[in-house]
Amino acid sequence: MSDLSNLADTARIRHIQWLHESGDYRNPDNLAGELMTSKVRKECFKLNSEAIAKMRKNPYYYYLVARTKFYDQLLLNAVATGVRRILILGAGFDTRLYRFGEQLAKRGIEVAECDQPDAVEIKQKLAKQLPYSERVRYLSIDLNNQNSWNGLMDWLDTENTCTTLIFAEGVSPYVDSSKFLSFLANIASQISSDSLLAYDFKRVGARDDFGVTEDVRSPFRLPLSKELIKEKHTSLGFTQVSFISSLELMQTYIPSWEKELSPLFDEDALLKISR
């Protein structure tokens, strides 16, 4: 999974987008700033127009807005259709279980987050001040270490007939390919047939060195081929696969966006898959 500096940087960008953007360009994450120090919040607030304009030229900047909205809508749709459990993989500084805590609590939906042990420890401390934090189950896992998966798999195995939503935002590029595929196969064997898994991934050929470490020599990648992606996930135990390109993501969630404003972030795509 991504390291703590990456997690904090993503949360910082979300907070900046919530503070300084408007309309469909605004990031809906109004709690990201609550997980930061007052010093960082002030720095974000005081950013001048020149600094913001420079950030907007980074293709990832507005892609993050669209991706945040995508996973937000995914969660809300699952709630509306009767999901009973929600698990966020590699949660980092994600705030969804708190931002939507009231809806989740009213429906008695069981919620959990998981990440590497050091990230979980920090998140638990910071999240105590957030609404509905007492309902969140925190699980430790390192997707690159299969020996650490037991706690999560035990959680999934409990009431495994319940409809479950699992999603992993910005996680797969940091995981060894063979480990991530094995993890997906384990998930497919543990969740009910009406459950849903969603995650984003880097395409083959996009920044081949991204996510490479001493322990992760071959980070997870997929080709941008709907047929090959469906074939791969069918072999893992899934039946339905929905592919969303980064262009489709931008057009759906930021209708005002144009390439002239900010280049398209074409390194990633997203999947919704079910059994």
Side-chain angles (χ1 to χ4, degrees):
M1 296 182 189
S2 52
D3 61 33
L4 293 176
S5 61
N6 285 331
L7 300 175
D9 190 53
T10 297
R12 176 180 171 273
I13 296 172
R14 283 187 170 129
H15 185 52
I16 290 169
Q17 293 168 336
W18 183 75
L19 286 172
H20 297 285
E21 300 292 348
S22 61
D24 57 358
Y25 295 108
R26 192 183 197 194
N27 197 299
D29 191 346
N30 65 327
L31 289 183
E34 299 300 316
L35 298 175
M36 303 172 187
T37 64
S38 58
K39 178 183 177 182
V40 174
R41 286 198 298 270
K42 288 178 182 178
E43 290 172 351
C44 292
F45 181 77
K46 291 181 179 180
L47 282 174
N48 59 35
S49 58
E50 183 178 350
I52 299 296
K54 184 177 180 180
M55 293 182 72
R56 288 169 176 158
K57 292 302 180 183
N58 183 338
Y60 178 75
Y61 181 78
Y62 282 126
Y63 170 80
L64 180 60
V65 175
R67 194 179 73 180
T68 302
K69 292 181 178 181
F70 168 83
Y71 284 109
D72 279 4
Q73 193 60 56
L74 184 78
L75 183 148
L76 292 173
N77 288 347
V79 170
T81 55
V83 70
R84 301 309 307 155
R85 301 189 301 177
I86 295 176
L87 170 68
I88 302 180
L89 288 168
F93 295 150
D94 192 294
T95 67
R96 291 181 177 90
L97 300 184
Y98 317 96
R99 284 191 285 129
F100 302 116
E102 182 176 1
Q103 296 98 309
L104 298 171
K106 283 182 177 179
R107 291 165 174 79
I109 298 171
E110 187 178 358
V111 295
E113 295 184 349
C114 68
D115 210 321
Q116 294 178 333
D118 52 353
V120 170
E121 183 179 356
I122 292 173
K123 177 65 172 293
Q124 277 189 274
K125 292 178 181 178
L126 295 174
K128 285 182 179 179
Q129 62 185 320
L130 298 182
Y132 300 96
S133 60
E134 72 282 355
R135 298 192 69 250
V136 180
R137 173 87 175 270
Y138 298 94
L139 304 169
S140 296
I141 187 174
D142 181 349
L143 291 182
N144 286 305
N145 178 5
Q146 195 160 350
N147 293 328
S148 73
W149 298 0
N150 292 339
L152 173 58
M153 293 304 168
D154 288 344
W155 184 85
L156 287 173
D157 192 49
T158 304
E159 300 183 26
N160 60 9
T161 58
C162 292
T163 305
T164 303
L165 167 65
I166 303 171
F167 63 86
E169 181 180 10
V171 172
S172 71
Y174 298 93
V175 184
D176 180 83
S177 183
S178 63
K179 293 291 196 309
F180 195 70
L181 291 171
S182 178
F183 183 76
L184 292 178
N186 273 266
I187 291 293
S189 68
Q190 293 276 40
I191 58 178
S192 64
S193 58
D194 52 353
S195 295
L196 178 66
L197 168 66
Y199 70 91
D200 46 90
F201 65 90
K202 287 216 171 297
R203 61 175 172 81
V204 172
R207 297 180 62 185
D208 289 336
D209 61 338
F210 189 92
V212 174
T213 66
E214 290 184 5
D215 299 321
V216 182
R217 297 295 186 183
S218 180
F220 183 75
R221 300 285 190 271
L222 283 175
L224 294 186
S225 166
K226 293 182 180 180
E227 292 75 17
L228 290 177
I229 288 173
K230 182 175 181 180
E231 180 181 332
K232 172 68 70 176
H233 288 83
T234 298
S235 70
L236 295 172
F238 297 97
T239 57
Q240 297 184 21
V241 181
S242 176
F243 172 88
I244 304 99
S245 69
S246 58
L247 178 58
E248 291 172 315
L249 187 77
M250 299 298 288
Q251 292 172 335
T252 300
Y253 293 98
I254 312 181
S256 301
W257 170 81
E258 296 178 350
K259 291 182 180 180
E260 291 74 19
L261 171 72
S262 180
L264 176 67
F265 184 77
D266 65 351
E267 297 179 15
D268 293 13
L270 300 95
L271 293 176
K272 291 191 293 184
I273 56 181
S274 62
R275 289 193 56 219

